[in-house]
Amino acid sequence: SLHKLGVNAKKLIDASNEQIAKIIGCKNDDIIYTSCASESTNLAIKGVALRNKKRGMHIITTNLEHSSIYGPVGYLTNLGFEVDFVKTNEFGIVDIDDLKNLLREDTVLVSIGAVNSETGVKQNIEEIAKLLKNYKCYFHVDATQAVGKVRIDYSDVDLISFTAHKFFGPKGVG
């Protein structure tokens, strides 16, 4: 809106976008606000998969993800997508060799949480992102438990989901 309150609100949103972009290493225009991390995850996973289904219908994730990952992934399996679960080692870390073996020409998405909400295990997002740059698939990271807590270079990640209240922001902003 062009009235004073609208202009002031726009300034605050722009300032927030600049802060978020700096933290996660993206452009201000790359940020999409949702009501929560689950909605962000749904938008990212379903959006990429459905937009690229002519190129492939294969998704890779882990057995250690939040339920907000399994919901959209389950929905996509009902539409004919195939899902593989990458192995993790005894410490819960993604097995990079297994991930390499699972990647196929028709893989459209890999979705891995940066930090597990129950175990606290931190995945090597930077290493996975560098590996996936050699493939024609998107990399989604659920960073809900990581943003504002641990430093991760997201510059090679395609899609990131998180929620503001996990790092002292307002509830209802994903």
Side-chain angles (χ1 to χ4, degrees):
S1 296
L2 295 178
H3 55 72
K4 187 175 180 172
L5 287 176
V7 170
N8 288 341
K10 175 74 167 122
K11 286 179 184 176
L12 291 171
I13 291 170
D14 290 345
S16 296
N17 281 354
E18 286 182 33
Q19 289 178 338
I20 293 167
K22 186 175 180 180
I23 290 169
I24 62 175
C26 71
K27 294 181 247 166
N28 293 6
D29 293 341
D30 291 341
I31 298 168
I32 298 171
Y33 290 97
T34 61
S35 65
C36 61
S38 295
E39 184 181 2
S40 296
T41 298
N42 267 274
L43 179 64
I45 291 174
K46 290 178 184 175
V48 163
L50 294 172
R51 171 91 179 179
N52 294 282
K53 67 181 181 180
K54 288 183 180 177
R55 195 185 64 69
M57 295 182 67
H58 180 238
I59 298 169
I60 300 172
T61 190
T62 76
N63 283 317
L64 301 174
E65 301 306 318
H66 188 269
S67 61
S68 65
I69 302 294
Y70 298 134
V73 167
Y75 170 81
L76 292 168
T77 58
N78 290 334
L79 297 179
F81 282 82
E82 183 181 350
V83 178
D84 279 320
F85 294 90
V86 65
K87 293 177 187 172
T88 55
N89 67 18
E90 65 271 18
F91 303 108
I93 305 294
V94 167
D95 181 329
I96 298 295
D97 290 330
D98 188 50
L99 179 57
K100 287 178 191 175
N101 290 334
L102 291 175
L103 287 163
R104 309 182 321 209
E105 284 293 318
D106 65 335
T107 303
V108 292
L109 177 67
V110 175
S111 181
I112 297 176
V115 176
N116 185 281
S117 63
E118 293 181 25
T119 65
V121 170
K122 180 182 176 240
Q123 297 297 338
N124 192 340
I125 297 302
E126 294 96 339
E127 182 181 358
I128 295 167
K130 283 184 180 30
L131 167 68
L132 295 178
K133 281 295 178 191
N134 299 318
Y135 295 86
K136 294 178 182 175
C137 65
Y138 290 90
F139 184 27
H140 168 256
V141 174
D142 176 359
T144 302
Q145 301 299 329
V147 171
K149 299 176 188 91
V150 294
R151 290 199 184 274
I152 297 175
D153 179 3
Y154 296 104
S155 58
D156 290 328
V157 174
D158 301 300
L159 305 147
I160 304 167
S161 300
F162 59 92
T163 186
H165 75 269
K166 294 291 186 170
F167 54 97
F168 307 109
K171 282 191 177 229
V173 180

